[in-house]
């Protein structure tokens, strides 16, 4: 019995990462990039520098939370997609409650917390479709991407697709196009506010715990009954790999914002 529980625990940790890993890694990376870029921007322009991009980035961020609340049947008591008069630095919020006895709604806390990654990435893809159709055609290569088992080659393939996408966006034709200027401004504004707040991470953490214990329970029963659910979780892992590939567009523009803000910071402080 002890061996079964230990095996179920090990398997559940792995499978929980399969289910949630791509979103968690993306959220951590976006948080690091945004935090550093905000440091440079606030050092130069103060809060006005953040407000400059928040008028579009914050509503898209909060829309991700809101849509996930509805998807997972949480009760939304109050929300504000954006305010020009933030209190304690809060530019928008979604207040929601849920039935603590509902497995579905408790799991939903994870995806509600991660909602801005979905909405931000979707907005960047939609903008590309509208303003940079040639680049969107290159992005469609992601749709034909067929990941095998997760290994270094899979990550290398995602990296190469991201390089191709980056090159397709910053072509000579695009740089001379009004559509590119519009899209670039929107993309920077959106990527400036995708990262998750402490409250977002706290809510996601509640859902992550529920996901882990649910998977642990399933695995314990599966091992007792000698049933294999690994194929199901591997299919979810493939979906996570797709999510990681799609979210690279968010990472690319967050990185561009960081580089630009760092460059301006160094110019202002005469570091270069």
């Amino acid at each position: 019995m002890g061996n079964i529980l230990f095996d179920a625990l090990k398997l559940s940790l792995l499978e929980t990462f399969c289910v949630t890993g791509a979103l968690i890694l993306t959220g951590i990376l976006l948080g690091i990039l945004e935090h550093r870029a905000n440091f440079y921007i606030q050092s130069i322009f103060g809060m006005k520098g953040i407000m400059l991009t928040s008028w579009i980035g914050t509503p898209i961020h909060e829309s991700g939370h809101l849509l996930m609340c509805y998807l997972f049947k949480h009760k939304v008591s109050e929300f504000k997609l954006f305010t020009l008069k933030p209190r304690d630095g809060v530019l928008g919020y979604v207040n929601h409650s849920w039935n603590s006895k509902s497995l579905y709604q408790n799991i939903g806390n994870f995806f509600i917390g991660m909602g801005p990654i979905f909405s931000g990435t979707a907005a960047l893809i939609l903008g590309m479709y509208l303003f940079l159709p040639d680049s969107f055609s290159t992005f469609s290569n992601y749709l034909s991407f067929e990941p095998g088992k997760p290994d270094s080659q899979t990550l290398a393939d995602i990296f190469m697709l991201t390089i191709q996408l980056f090159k397709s966006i910053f072509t000579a034709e695009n740089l001379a196009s009004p559509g590119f200027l519009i899209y670039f401004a929107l993309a920077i504004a959106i990527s400036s506010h995708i990262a998750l707040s402490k409250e977002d991470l706290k809510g996601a953490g509640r859902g992550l715990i529920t996901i882990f214990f649910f998977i642990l329970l399933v695995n314990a029963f599966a091992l007792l009954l000698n049933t294999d659910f690994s194929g199901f979780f591997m299919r979810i892992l493939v979906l996570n790999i797709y999510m990681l590939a799609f979210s690279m567009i968010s990472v690319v523009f967050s990185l561009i914002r960081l580089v630009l803000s760092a460059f301006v910071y160094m110019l202002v402080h005469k570091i270069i």
Side-chain angles (χ1 to χ4, degrees):
M1 184 68 177
N3 288 336
I4 289 178
L5 290 176
F6 183 70
D7 290 342
L9 181 61
K10 290 193 300 181
L11 187 59
S12 298
L13 287 170
L14 175 62
E15 290 175 346
T16 300
F17 182 78
C18 289
V19 173
T20 64
L23 284 172
I24 292 173
L25 291 175
T26 301
I28 291 172
L29 182 54
L30 289 172
I32 293 171
L33 294 174
E34 183 175 315
H35 181 267
R36 195 60 191 172
N38 284 348
F39 167 78
Y40 292 131
I41 290 171
Q42 287 188 288
S43 296
I44 303 166
F45 305 108
M47 191 61 185
K48 291 180 180 178
I50 304 299
M51 295 295 291
L52 183 64
T53 57
S54 63
W55 64 275
I56 186 168
T58 299
I60 291 175
H61 178 110
E62 298 302 334
S63 293
H65 293 312
L66 188 62
L67 290 173
M68 286 295 158
C69 281
Y70 290 133
L71 179 63
F72 285 93
K73 298 184 178 181
H74 282 219
K75 181 180 180 181
V76 177
S77 56
E78 184 183 9
F79 70 90
K80 187 176 289 291
L81 297 182
F82 178 63
T83 177
L84 288 171
K85 298 179 180 180
R87 290 183 298 177
D88 300 323
V90 177
L91 297 169
Y93 58 87
V94 177
N95 293 332
H96 60 100
S97 58
W98 63 96
N99 180 359
S100 60
K101 297 180 180 179
S102 168
L103 176 65
Y104 181 70
Q105 291 186 29
N106 276 286
I107 288 175
N109 279 315
F110 174 78
F111 295 95
I112 291 167
M114 295 289 172
I117 297 177
F118 294 110
S119 57
T121 300
L124 289 170
I125 295 171
L126 176 61
M128 189 184 300
Y129 173 77
L130 294 174
F131 296 106
L132 299 177
D134 291 340
S135 296
F136 182 79
S137 296
T138 300
F139 176 78
S140 65
N141 291 334
Y142 282 104
L143 300 177
S144 59
F145 173 58
E146 296 182 2
K149 63 179 182 179
D151 54 21
S152 59
Q153 184 57 48
T154 300
L155 295 176
D157 290 341
I158 292 174
F159 179 76
M160 290 307 299
L161 285 171
T162 303
I163 294 296
Q164 292 174 17
L165 176 62
F166 185 84
K167 288 181 177 179
S168 75
I169 292 174
F170 293 94
T171 61
E173 293 80 5
N174 280 346
L175 291 174
S177 166
F180 170 81
L181 296 176
I182 295 171
Y183 180 69
F184 187 79
L186 291 175
I188 292 297
I190 293 167
S191 63
S192 298
H193 298 273
I194 292 179
L196 309 175
S197 68
K198 290 182 180 180
E199 284 301 312
D200 296 342
L201 293 172
K202 183 179 177 181
R206 286 192 293 262
L208 182 61
I209 292 171
T210 303
I211 291 171
F212 170 73
F213 279 107
F214 173 68
I215 292 175
L216 178 62
L217 184 63
V218 170
N219 281 327
F221 275 107
L223 290 172
L224 283 171
L225 300 175
N226 198 26
T227 305
D228 185 12
F229 286 100
S230 60
F232 171 73
F233 287 106
M234 283 303 297
R235 286 192 291 272
I236 294 179
L237 177 57
V238 171
L239 291 177
N240 265 255
I241 293 172
Y242 274 114
M243 182 63 206
L244 180 62
F246 288 159
S247 65
M248 283 301 102
I249 186 173
S250 305
V251 174
V252 164
F253 278 100
S254 293
L255 185 59
I256 291 171
R257 176 178 179 254
L258 173 59
V259 170
L260 290 175
S261 60
F263 180 72
V264 174
Y265 177 85
M266 288 187 287
L267 281 178
V268 170
H269 290 82
K270 298 180 180 179
I271 298 174
I272 56 175

